[in-house]
Amino acid sequence: MDSYLIGLGNNDTKTRHDASVDFVKFWESQAKKLDWFEPWQIPLEWNPPFAKWFVGGKINASYAALDVQKQDKIAIFWEGENEERRSVTYAQLLDSVQRLANGLKSLGIEKGDRVTIYLPMTPELVVSILACARIGAIHTVIFSGFSAQSIRDRIVDSQSKLVITADGGYRRGKIVKLKDVVDTAISDLDFISNVIVYQRTNHTITMNSKDILWDDLLEKNSNTCPPEKLESTHPLYILYTSGTTGKPKGVLHDTGGYLTHVSATFRWAFDIKDSDVYFCTADIGWVTGHSYVAYGPLLCGATQVIYEGAPDYPSHARMWDLIQRYKITIFYTTPTALRMFMKFGDDIPNSFDLSSLRLLGSVGEPINPEVWKWYYHIIGKTKCPIIDTWWQTETGAMMISPLPGLETIPLKPGSGAHAIPGVDLAILDESGNTVPPEIKGYLVIRKPWPGMLTTLWGDDEKYKTVYWSKYKDTYYTGDYAICDKDGYFWILGRADDVLKIAGHRIGTAELESSLVSHSSISEAAVCGIPDQVKGEVIIAFLVPKEGVSVSDSLKNQIIDIVRKDIGAIATPQSLYFVSKLPKTRSGKIMRRLLKAIASNEKIGDVSTLEDGAAVSEIQTAFDELKKQIRG
Ligand code: WT7
């Protein structure tokens, strides 16, 4: 296997050593790098599966991210899709954050209240997050591609009092009318007291009685708002993510532990220096944007580029043009984006000056070695280490990654190397034994870590069952992995019913319940099949009700329902109509069998994976279904 001995020359062995001696003390030493108002008394209170980090400590995320930084430094170079450009200093961010924080207070928002944020990728999104944090309101950001129904579900679950949105946002040259979506989402939600509307696109909108314009609110309010001194354990945000059950789960993160984990990993992974220009392509609607656009860079006083629109718009060269123009030094993106850029051809990146780059990152899904090598050669010109970072919405921050800011190690394309210091990972078999090297098993986390979710919003029981019931006092990630003989982790994908479409998490149950809501459909099952760009795409198997005839119009109606219930990201690529779904005797859909059929593969080891079904039954179901699909 190829091995790439590359790093930035850092060789800090003390950090790993300290972490291995006493992980709690170690995380305390990292927490001390943040600005606290009052020190903690208890570094970790661990009542499995509930952890409290830095108990007694007082901190404020917006203060640690803004007030203590060099005020005249650029925090954000913002570029709109239409090439509008803004440079925002730390002082300017702080000014807006304090005005908005006072504005929120004037509208009755208090510590602990939830605020839903549905905005395009503009500096105002960062301002909104930090304004909530300043007064101790809990922000819940919803990706601007989600539908009205999805927003409504999340607002109802979180019982948000207020929504911050924009008139619209730009996507591939078109205006996405965000305010209209919010109006539909909250039309019957009386507990929403106000909607703050930032004017991004300036198209005509209807202003309702609850609506307040962003500019008016900021102008009216003073730019002095002392940060609330919050307990370390105070909730910072809820972020909804899909799981194996019907509705998205509200992952809840605390303040002190989360900020400690995010800032430490930002420093170790990205080797951040005062002169760096960092660019993470993630939308703040996802956890990567929370941890490594909103919080990480600001906590470390970095300068970053935030880009509003589609990565291939108006041309396939958009990313390389940004890197050249802003002299970006650190670029963090997804395998899906890289596979797309690779398909566009080498000539495009080769015609730009990418020599400012010194470090490259990848996140969100497994990166295939061919793409890794392309990234390394064509974008990094063999001089940039690639950090393949594994983590989850629930872990809050990176858990596995090469850490060029700490150490120089050989890289292996497709592996994230080792667990970060202070994190205890293992790979277990079904009965909880550690598997030997090179053997596939379930990736688990054996000790609490500071960025960990504190619970699922309003549902401690579900928190216990989803993550902590498979193994005792051990966090179950839901991923398959192997560890090779050199101790490098390789993530093999999800072990549960979660799909990863272009790196986005979609729950099968959520999608199936949307599909069967069509009056012509009696049953539905979805699976993901490999795709050259998106990693995975969705295939749906549908059983129509008696007497229903399948037509293009029916297909379109069904797709519309999915877009309306969830959003365009959940659109199935193909719909197959079948007379029945293959199930085990206990009634479980044989999803892996569907996957094998849809991707035109043999059943392979399906028999060992579908519990409760005899091999012959599976074979019969497979043959029957295949006949219906493939004729
Ligand atoms: C799931 C978490 C990480 C933040 C964005 C996604 C998959 C994530 C990698 C990686 C292979 C990865 C896992 C994980 N995943 N990073 N580097 N290599 N797989 O967060 O939406 O919570 O999804 O994404 O399956 O469990 P998320």
Side-chain angles (χ1 to χ4, degrees), residues 287-288 363-366 388-394 479 491 494 500 505:
V287 76
T288 307
V363 63
E365 40 174 335
D388 175 6
T389 65
W390 177 90
W391 54 294
Q392 307 178 302
T393 305
E394 292 86 344
D479 276 350
I491 306 295
R494 299 289 303 191
K500 270 277 169 172
R505 229 158 118 169

Side-chain angles (χ1 to χ4, degrees), residues 143-415:
F143 172 58
S144 60
F146 277 119
S147 68
Q149 184 60 44
S150 292
I151 300 172
R152 187 182 187 283
D153 291 346
R154 287 158 171 77
I155 290 178
V156 169
D157 188 77
S158 61
Q159 291 289 302
S160 292
K161 271 195 182 167
L162 184 140
V163 180
I164 307 178
T165 189
D167 48 1
Y170 287 99
R171 191 75 185 175
R172 294 211 156 77
K174 289 204 190 80
I175 291 179
V176 183
K177 296 184 174 169
L178 302 176
K179 165 81 163 65
D180 289 357
V181 181
V182 168
D183 285 348
T184 311
I186 65 163
S187 61
D188 60 341
L189 301 181
D190 295 335
F191 56 85
I192 295 285
S193 55
N194 289 104
V195 178
I196 299 173
V197 186
Y198 167 63
Q199 284 167 293
R200 160 73 187 108
T201 50
N202 284 305
H203 67 277
T204 314
I205 48 169
T206 321
M207 290 293 282
N208 303 318
S209 56
K210 293 178 180 179
D211 302 344
I212 297 158
L213 289 178
W214 172 285
D215 285 348
D216 293 350
L217 189 69
L218 265 66
E219 198 191 333
K220 233 177 27 213
N221 279 280
S222 110
N223 63 356
T224 313
C225 177
E228 198 72 37
K229 293 177 178 156
L230 300 166
E231 305 78 35
S232 170
T233 53
H234 184 72
L236 182 60
Y237 68 81
I238 305 170
L239 182 58
Y240 286 87
T241 187
S242 292
T244 47
T245 47
K247 291 273 172 214
K249 309 168 288 197
V251 169
L252 187 68
H253 282 290
D254 75 357
T255 307
Y258 173 79
L259 297 179
T260 298
H261 190 172
V262 166
S263 59
T265 48
F266 190 79
R267 278 182 273 113
W268 300 334
F270 296 115
D271 184 46
I272 197 78
K273 303 273 192 284
D274 194 37
S275 55
D276 274 314
V277 182
Y278 165 88
F279 178 31
C280 168
T281 63
D283 193 289
I284 297 181
W286 309 104
V287 76
T288 307
H290 280 64
S291 300
Y292 299 107
V293 178
Y295 288 111
L298 299 177
L299 288 168
C300 297
T303 294
Q304 70 176 315
V305 172
I306 292 183
Y307 168 63
E308 176 188 39
D312 55 347
Y313 188 87
S315 90
H316 293 170
R318 190 71 194 245
M319 293 295 111
W320 321 129
D321 177 55
L322 287 170
I323 291 172
Q324 175 177 283
R325 195 145 27 80
Y326 293 100
K327 300 196 166 39
I328 289 165
T329 56
I330 303 169
F331 182 58
Y332 190 31
T333 192
T334 63
T336 288
L338 292 170
R339 286 188 292 257
M340 177 178 78
F341 300 142
M342 191 172 155
K343 231 179 56 182
F344 296 151
D346 300 355
D347 288 354
I348 303 174
N350 282 344
S351 61
F352 286 82
D353 177 7
L354 306 179
S355 61
S356 55
L357 289 172
R358 65 183 194 91
L359 203 159
L360 302 171
S362 169
V363 63
E365 40 174 335
I367 178 165
N368 24 337
E370 313 86 86
V371 177
W372 194 103
K373 288 177 198 163
W374 180 83
Y375 199 18
Y376 182 79
H377 288 283
I378 303 299
I379 306 306
K381 315 289 181 208
T382 72
K383 69 178 178 62
C384 306
I386 294 182
I387 55 164
D388 175 6
T389 65
W390 177 90
W391 54 294
Q392 307 178 302
T393 305
E394 292 86 344
T395 70
M398 296 170 193
M399 302 296 272
I400 300 176
S401 176
L403 302 171
L406 275 189
E407 57 207 4
T408 300
I409 57 160
L411 297 175
K412 299 189 189 189
S415 166

Side-chain angles (χ1 to χ4, degrees), residues 39-61:
W40 53 90
Q41 280 90 48
I42 307 167
L44 170 65
E45 237 180 67
W46 177 224
N47 296 310
F50 298 97
K52 290 182 176 170
W53 284 89
F54 314 122
V55 181
K58 295 277 173 68
I59 191 165
N60 183 289

Side-chain angles (χ1 to χ4, degrees), residues 7-85:
L8 298 167
N10 291 313
N11 189 18
D12 161 1
T13 49
K14 188 177 179 311
T15 301
R16 265 197 201 277
H17 175 260
D18 291 354
S20 67
V21 173
D22 182 336
F23 82 103
V24 177
K25 247 204 196 122
F26 169 72
W27 282 118
E28 281 191 275
S29 70
Q30 298 304 317
K32 283 180 189 150
K33 298 186 180 180
L34 294 170
D35 289 85
W36 295 76
F37 301 116
E38 282 173 37
W40 53 90
Q41 280 90 48
I42 307 167
L44 170 65
E45 237 180 67
W46 177 224
N47 296 310
F50 298 97
K52 290 182 176 170
W53 284 89
F54 314 122
V55 181
K58 295 277 173 68
I59 191 165
N60 183 289
S62 85
Y63 179 82
L66 299 177
D67 303 54
V68 302
Q69 310 301 348
K70 273 191 238 158
Q71 293 299 298
D72 57 353
K73 187 171 174 178
I74 303 279
I76 299 171
F77 285 119
W78 179 76
E79 178 146 327
E81 206 185 60
N82 308 326
E83 301 195 1
E84 304 100 312
R85 289 176 194 138

